[in-house]
Amino acid sequence: MGKRYRETLEELQIELTRLQQGLRSSGKRLLVIFEGRDTAGKGGTIKAISERLDTRGCRIVALPKPSDTEATQWYFQRYVPHLPNAGELVLFDRSWYNRAVVEPAMGFCSKAQYEAFMQAVPAFEKLLVDDGIVLLKYWLTVDQAEQEQRFADRANDPLKRWKLSPVDLRARHKYAEMGRLRDTMIECTHSDQAPWFLADFNDQKRGRINLIRHLLQQVPLHDKVTPPVKLPKLKGKPGKEHVTKLAHWVPDTY
């Protein structure tokens, strides 16, 4: 699957560059929310979507724990500044839906705060959509046995251990509870203007391909093929770098 996956992903990434051009030319705003359990594959999918795009028109939003000041604000306030501008794609690695699943499961919000959020979020999202924002919401699913294997991989890999937070480790024991909270979230916040889409991520590569294809189908702004660029010939011979001796060269150690 490795070669086929890479070839398919590259084809989809070309389509994503066309989508970005379509957003720029139309001025549309695209907001994509990625939710799911720890290790589901949100970060890898966001990287696959964004890695070939122009960073000036694509932003990744992964907000940290609220500050003491933010904790006193209207709940949606810290997210509003990160909404997309005209012609922009914004990818949320977790979002305001923390309050629907993670926060109540881990005891980070009160019952009253949770209930107020669940009542407010449909109206909030309707305001976004009514204002012209294209909103896509994805929940990445993963079975507990597969999730446990990924936790073990992270624990054993020094390049991945940073991904394991104390909250992640505590959440391992709340698989069923978080599933119930997820179902309640979907039942309360799934609507015609802001539906939820589920993506099977027990196989992460397959999940990425399926999700990206689906995303492209929801936003038909990628029909314009980027024409090839013909570079004119240089006048004279190619130059060499002759830099002032004031700066220091990085040692050639490779």
Side-chain angles (χ1 to χ4, degrees):
M1 188 177 181
K3 181 179 179 181
R4 181 188 172 201
Y5 166 75
R6 291 191 297 271
E7 291 175 348
T8 304
L9 179 60
E10 184 173 324
E11 291 173 359
L12 293 174
Q13 288 175 330
I14 291 172
E15 291 294 306
L16 286 166
T17 65
R18 295 175 184 169
L19 169 61
Q20 188 173 46
Q21 291 175 11
L23 290 172
R24 283 175 170 164
S25 62
S26 68
K28 286 188 176 295
R29 295 166 288 166
L30 176 56
L31 173 62
V32 187
I33 287 175
F34 295 88
E35 294 287 349
R37 300 177 185 275
D38 299 317
T39 80
K42 298 179 292 296
T45 303
I46 290 171
K47 181 179 179 180
I49 291 171
S50 62
E51 64 181 349
R52 300 297 185 91
L53 298 181
D54 184 347
T55 56
R56 290 170 294 183
C58 176
R59 286 189 288 117
I60 299 170
V61 178
L63 297 185
K65 175 184 175 182
S67 66
D68 291 341
T69 299
E70 288 172 333
T72 67
Q73 296 173 345
W74 175 52
Y75 182 73
F76 298 99
Q77 188 169 338
R78 67 194 297 251
Y79 295 99
V80 170
H82 302 282
L83 294 175
N85 301 308
E88 194 174 36
L89 164 63
V90 173
L91 308 169
F92 270 52
D93 187 348
R94 295 198 184 278
S95 66
W96 45 81
Y97 282 106
N98 275 335
R99 179 142 293 181
V101 179
V102 176
E103 289 188 19
M106 305 306 294
F108 295 156
C109 69
S110 67
K111 184 178 179 181
Q113 289 174 322
Y114 167 77
E115 292 177 347
F117 169 82
M118 296 299 280
Q119 290 181 356
V121 68
F124 174 70
E125 291 181 348
K126 186 176 186 302
L127 288 173
L128 301 183
V129 175
D130 287 349
D131 196 57
I133 292 178
V134 179
L135 174 61
L136 299 176
K137 304 187 298 188
Y138 290 100
W139 180 276
L140 281 54
T141 70
V142 60
D143 296 335
Q144 191 170 22
E146 178 62 27
Q147 184 188 41
E148 283 296 296
Q149 181 59 55
R150 294 176 191 175
F151 275 130
D153 291 342
R154 289 183 178 184
N156 294 326
D157 188 342
L159 295 176
K160 295 181 180 180
R161 285 177 195 153
W162 63 270
K163 295 183 177 182
L164 286 175
S165 70
V167 174
D168 296 336
L169 298 177
R170 286 175 56 196
R172 287 179 56 231
H173 304 288
K174 295 180 177 289
Y175 186 90
E177 180 182 353
M178 294 180 79
R180 290 191 293 270
L181 287 164
R182 174 209 57 217
D183 288 349
T184 300
M185 173 193 76
I186 292 174
E187 290 166 3
C188 292
T189 63
H190 178 86
S191 63
D192 291 340
Q193 68 267 12
W196 276 102
F197 297 105
L198 305 178
D200 184 346
F201 264 69
N202 283 294
D203 182 324
Q204 289 189 325
K205 290 182 178 178
R206 185 183 299 275
R208 284 179 206 144
I209 296 299
N210 290 335
L211 189 150
I212 295 171
R213 275 184 176 150
H214 182 271
L215 188 158
L216 289 165
Q217 291 168 357
Q218 307 312 303
V219 193
L221 292 173
H222 44 97
D223 55 344
K224 293 184 179 179
V225 178
T226 304
V229 177
K230 186 176 181 180
L231 297 177
K233 290 184 178 181
L234 291 174
K235 296 180 180 179
K237 295 181 179 180
K240 291 186 177 182
E241 284 271 53
H242 295 290
V243 186
T244 174
K245 295 181 179 180
L246 184 62
H248 301 288
W249 282 102
V250 171
D252 185 3
T253 59
Y254 181 68

